[in-house]
Amino acid sequence: MTTLTRKGPALDFTHGRVDLTHGGGGRAMAQLVEELFLAAFDNDLLRQRNDQACFAVEAGRMVMTTDGYVISPMFFPGGDIGSLAVHGTLNDVAMAGAAPMALSASFILEEGLPLADLRRIVLSMAAASMEAGVPIVTGDTKVVEKGKGDGLFISTTGIGRVPAGVEISGDRARPGDKILVSGTLGDHGVAVMSQRESLGFETTLHSDSAALHRLVAGMVAAVPGIHCLRDPTRGGLAATLNELAAQSGVGMLIREAAIPLRPEVQGACELLGLDPLYVANEGKLIAICPPETAEALLAVMRAHPLGQNAALIGEVVADDHHFVQMETAFGGRRVVDWLAGEQLPRIC
Amino acid sequence: MKYIDEYRDGATARAIAAAIRAEADPAREYALMEFCGGHTHAISRYGIEDLLPAHVRMIHGPGCPVCVLPIGRVDGAIALARHPGLILCTYGDLLRVPGSGRTSLLKVKAEGADVRMVYSAADSLKIARDNPDRPVVFFAIGFETTTPPTALVLQQAKALGLRNFSVFCNHVLTPAAIASILESPEVRALGTVPLDGFIGPAHVSTVIGSRPYEYFAEEYQKPVVIAGFEPLDVLQAILMLVRQLNQGRFEVENEFSRAVTREGNGKAQAVVAEVFELRRRFEWRGLGQVPYSALRIKAPYADWDAEKRFDLPERSVPDVKACDCGAILRGLKKPADCRLFGKACTPESPMGSCMVSAEGACAAYWTYGRFRHAQQGTA
């Protein structure tokens, strides 16, 4: 790679920290871009060093999505803000049934952020993008004064192509459709919570953060007629099913006993008084499909490593109130509502 | 999950529910109050009412510590939080409780006050030690379950000479509240209260034991069954109450024998007695002034009593007029009977305290049970 900056001392990734010059548009910024971002994300489009990436597109439908990542702590078991920023946006592209093509990344760095942390995060993003086979083709860096950011914020944008014949949208759920999840719920949220200092509990649990586009590619190839796909991130399964029910103008009925949960997640939720249905996931999806295709879809999901614990958890029903209801394992029935505010632990 | 699934088993539930249906006399009604919010939550979350016959009716009592906290005390906490430099620590549920003028701790936090959510009283002590030059107040609420931890941090603060720490004490007592329900104005007006028996508290009873309930079971001739917070505990307790009522007994029975003894936890009681004493009276939302129903910090600990350290005028603020929280907390009305329920008052924007905590009767109904009203065409 040719370099634009004059050779000087290399960035100190052991003891150095981000300062305001790294966002100032001068040599320090060029050096940071050169020695960190370009080196880590290296690809043809980025190497052109333009303010935009220019590439040819095929005919057909495309999707575009963007997401901001502000997670605290930045590092957690099973991932970090960098891998999350790649996986989360790839997944939003994939939830249209699309094959992701490219990502952009915008960094807002807080003055004082250790360069070692930044490097670790950027390398983790590069590894996630490499693993997913989707390049980061353009980006931006800004630095804000100390106290005006929480270490580091990342925004990523993704684009992708929708295969012909695939028509996936949150408003397509119909009464009679089956509801599937791709695996155990709540792993990410509990893993992150366990790292927050105020909680002080230990767990062997890892975040499920993962890119789902390959799983989705297999699913749409086997069942092009999938009606809805969505990843249950913030607000968990409960929020996602409520969104889909409202968008499609239907109700949903799920069975508690069929919902896959790890015992560690169940245990942590019991301790903290949280409901795992509301806890975030970063490597799971919900699929809604016509009943006659459910079995084939479930088989394809289970054949993929990211879907091996997939399960059929319920049905779409006609309901003017658009309620999501659950048959409890206990034998009763209840509403699974939107979350009011944040989920807070109970007192007694 | 081991030690949990056993208490949530659907087959056992159906068997107990069948026994309740078989044994409950169709010629009479069984109006049973679960005192604790923990029970209300379990009943709603597991759909227990679906398993009961129509003439066995559950009435949700005032045992949610967030719900019974009067507006005046929430205002007191908000005033503390606005004190320059002060760190106010409290349990998460309290952040959203509305005070006067639709403000709340969450809102003053957004305005810049330093309000921190803690998971235990001990966390607030740590915050005080980490911030020696700032006043730190623990906004303590709860029934007998959460009182011993508060007592312990007061003892520790005194032993450490931690002068920047204090406690805004709002701890309340369960037996006094149950007696107050049985002595409520309706009792004097109507000569009766529409309650046949009580499911007694789970966690509270691990501390105080089952003995404190014996007095009013005898005095008011109402059976009490102490039960755990798991759904099978609740169903089993309902069956035990039905049997007592069928047999004309008014006893204190203990379904939660895996955790509760007659005498309770002596060590916890001793710590509480060392640090706290009875208040002559305390205001409860929905119940009004209840004599000897709350605790205050004893004189030797006055330096760590936020009510003595800061100027907090005691004032009573009336509840929102149309709000039926009071009647709901006394078992006279169901949440859906309130004109505000689900309209002006929802968990996103609560008018009354029963809508705030997941344990509050209204929030539990709204969150888990409102499809029933919808199916009946009333919501």
Side-chain angles (χ1 to χ4, degrees):
Chain A
M1 196 191 299
T2 57
T3 170
L4 293 179
T5 47
R6 199 178 51 184
K7 274 288 173 211
L11 282 171
D12 179 358
F13 284 114
T14 316
H15 305 293
R17 287 178 182 275
V18 169
D19 61 49
L20 291 173
T21 64
H22 290 123
R27 198 165 280 135
M29 190 175 102
Q31 188 185 14
L32 182 69
V33 169
E34 193 79 32
E35 293 181 17
L36 183 59
F37 295 111
L38 273 178
F41 298 152
D42 188 31
N43 60 66
D44 291 345
L45 288 172
L46 201 58
R47 223 174 290 135
Q48 292 170 357
R49 292 190 173 82
N50 287 323
D51 284 350
Q52 65 289 115
C54 186
F55 47 88
V57 289
E58 297 166 24
R61 294 161 67 230
M62 294 189 68
V63 292
M64 176 171 174
T65 182
T66 190
D67 214 337
Y69 298 84
V70 298
I71 191 168
S72 167
M74 292 193 290
F75 302 97
F76 47 83
D80 54 59
I81 188 170
S83 55
L84 196 63
V86 170
H87 294 155
T89 297
L90 287 178
N91 291 347
D92 283 348
V93 170
M95 292 309 122
M101 297 161 59
L103 291 169
S104 76
S106 161
F107 295 82
I108 295 176
L109 312 176
E110 186 187 12
E111 182 187 14
L113 175 73
L115 284 172
D117 284 355
L118 178 61
R119 182 162 180 268
R120 193 175 150 194
I121 289 162
V122 168
L123 291 180
S124 157
M125 282 183 86
S129 130
M130 176 83 79
E131 207 270 326
V134 183
I136 296 168
V137 296
T138 186
D140 181 54
T141 310
K142 296 283 187 315
V143 179
V144 294
E145 283 171 49
K146 195 165 182 60
K148 300 209 167 154
D150 194 9
L152 163 74
F153 300 142
I154 304 175
S155 289
T156 49
T157 295
I159 56 168
R161 263 188 317 268
V162 184
V166 171
E167 188 76 45
I168 292 170
S169 172
D171 60 2
R172 294 199 63 216
R174 294 290 172 267
D177 282 359
K178 300 289 181 189
I179 305 168
L180 288 73
V181 296
S182 65
T184 53
L185 295 177
D187 303 4
H188 173 75
V190 170
V192 170
M193 260 184 267
S194 74
Q195 294 299 298
R196 295 204 174 136
E197 57 165 344
S198 56
L199 282 180
F201 73 92
E202 286 178 24
T203 170
T204 52
L205 207 64
H206 285 77
S207 164
D208 60 355
S209 178
L212 296 169
H213 59 296
R214 292 196 181 102
L215 169 66
V216 170
M219 290 167 66
V220 293
V223 182
I226 295 172
H227 283 161
C228 316
L229 287 177
R230 194 155 293 178
D231 50 342
T233 53
R234 270 176 306 176
L237 177 73
T240 304
L241 289 183
N242 274 289
E243 283 167 21
L244 293 172
Q247 251 182 294
S248 292
V250 294
M252 309 231 177
L253 180 60
I254 56 173
R255 280 176 299 281
E256 187 175 26
I259 298 171
L261 285 176
R262 283 184 203 282
E264 304 94 298
V265 168
Q266 251 184 308
C269 287
E270 282 299 326
L271 262 178
L272 299 171
L274 305 176
D275 186 337
L277 300 189
Y278 294 90
V279 178
N281 308 277
E282 290 293 348
K284 299 289 155 37
L285 62 81
I286 295 167
I288 295 181
C289 65
E292 64 278 8
T293 60
E295 216 162 291
L297 190 58
L298 192 61
V300 176
M301 290 165 80
R302 284 185 176 158
H304 192 278
L306 292 174
Q308 55 185 334
N309 296 315
L312 196 164
I313 60 165
E315 287 83 39
V316 177
V317 295
D319 178 356
D320 292 342
H321 293 276
H322 311 160
F323 284 142
V324 176
Q325 295 188 46
M326 181 163 81
E327 272 172 17
T328 69
F330 200 65
R333 197 182 263 210
R334 63 142 152 136
V335 172
V336 177
D337 204 3
W338 297 92
L339 194 55
E342 271 194 82
Q343 199 172 205
L344 300 171
R346 289 165 51 204
I347 290 171
C348 129
Chain B
M1 191 173 21
K2 188 98 184 103
Y3 306 121
I4 289 285
D5 293 344
E6 294 89 327
Y7 300 103
R8 296 178 187 174
D9 179 57
T12 316
R14 285 189 291 278
I16 300 175
I20 293 171
R21 278 196 301 277
E23 295 184 33
D25 178 358
R28 62 162 293 180
E29 187 168 85
Y30 299 81
L32 309 176
M33 174 177 275
E34 84 278 3
F35 180 82
C36 270
H39 288 132
T40 307
H41 188 81
I43 288 168
S44 309
R45 179 169 172 179
Y46 297 96
I48 288 177
E49 285 179 318
D50 288 343
L51 302 173
L52 299 177
H55 59 298
V56 176
R57 207 158 61 85
M58 300 311 296
I59 293 160
H60 313 306
C64 158
V66 172
C67 303
V68 297
L69 194 69
I71 292 176
R73 304 294 288 191
V74 178
D75 286 351
I78 290 171
L80 278 171
R82 285 182 166 148
H83 200 86
L86 188 140
I87 303 173
L88 185 81
C89 305
T90 193
Y91 298 128
D93 263 13
L94 272 172
L95 296 182
R96 290 194 293 128
V97 183
S100 300
R102 303 217 97 182
T103 183
S104 67
L105 286 172
L106 209 59
K107 287 185 182 152
V108 294
K109 184 173 192 280
E111 287 164 13
D114 195 345
V115 180
R116 302 196 190 174
M117 186 177 94
V118 293
Y119 286 84
S120 77
D123 290 347
S124 59
L125 197 71
K126 182 173 181 301
I127 291 171
R129 296 179 75 170
D130 293 345
N131 295 276
D133 48 356
R134 295 178 61 185
V136 174
V137 178
F138 177 52
F139 181 20
I141 73 151
F143 289 96
E144 291 87 340
T145 325
T146 47
T147 310
T150 306
L152 280 175
V153 294
L154 280 164
Q155 285 183 336
Q156 286 165 2
K158 189 177 184 198
L160 294 165
L162 203 61
R163 294 283 162 183
N164 64 323
F165 179 76
S166 60
V167 170
F168 180 32
C169 176
N170 294 275
H171 285 298
V172 288
L173 302 171
T174 308
I178 301 183
S180 156
I181 292 165
L182 292 167
E183 292 280 9
S184 63
E186 293 79 14
V187 179
R188 265 166 286 174
L190 307 170
T192 179
V193 65
L195 291 174
D196 299 309
F198 288 90
I199 295 181
H203 296 169
V204 162
S205 305
T206 64
V207 176
I208 67 174
S210 66
R211 198 161 60 164
Y213 309 103
E214 290 170 5
Y215 157 77
F216 70 74
E218 170 76 23
E219 177 70 18
Y220 298 99
Q221 306 221 321
K222 305 284 183 193
V224 178
V225 175
I226 293 160
F229 281 149
E230 292 301 324
L232 277 185
D233 290 323
V234 178
L235 264 187
Q236 180 65 30
I238 293 169
L239 179 60
M240 290 165 78
L241 283 171
V242 166
R243 284 180 179 163
Q244 281 208 46
L245 289 163
N246 285 351
Q247 294 160 8
R249 291 188 288 124
F250 314 106
E251 293 164 16
V252 175
E253 289 181 320
N254 184 7
E255 184 277 339
F256 198 31
S257 55
R258 64 184 186 277
V260 172
T261 61
R262 182 166 180 266
E263 303 301 329
N265 181 338
K267 270 190 192 161
Q269 291 167 15
V271 175
V272 169
E274 212 258 320
V275 174
F276 295 112
E277 61 192 6
L278 281 173
R279 286 181 200 261
R280 193 175 294 278
R281 59 191 168 76
F282 192 75
E283 188 186 349
W284 291 54
R285 200 183 275 219
L287 300 180
Q289 297 286 347
V290 180
Y292 301 107
S293 64
L295 298 173
R296 69 174 177 214
I297 297 167
K298 277 183 174 173
Y301 291 88
D303 286 353
W304 291 272
D305 185 347
E307 286 179 82
K308 302 222 165 69
R309 292 258 297 258
F310 301 91
D311 193 23
L312 291 175
E314 195 183 323
R315 61 195 185 113
S316 174
V317 181
D319 290 336
V320 176
K321 262 214 177 91
C323 168
D324 275 336
C325 273
I328 291 165
L329 288 174
R330 291 195 305 276
L332 289 172
K333 288 194 176 178
K334 291 217 151 202
D337 296 337
C338 175
R339 276 179 293 157
L340 302 179
F341 179 77
K343 297 183 182 86
C345 183
T346 62
E348 282 78 15
S349 128
M351 304 281 285
S353 55
C354 298
M355 197 53 106
V356 174
S357 164
E359 297 181 4
C362 293
Y365 254 68
W366 177 256
T367 306
Y368 294 130
R370 72 178 185 278
F371 68 94
R372 289 195 188 86
H373 312 299
Q375 280 158 358
Q376 291 154 14
T378 56

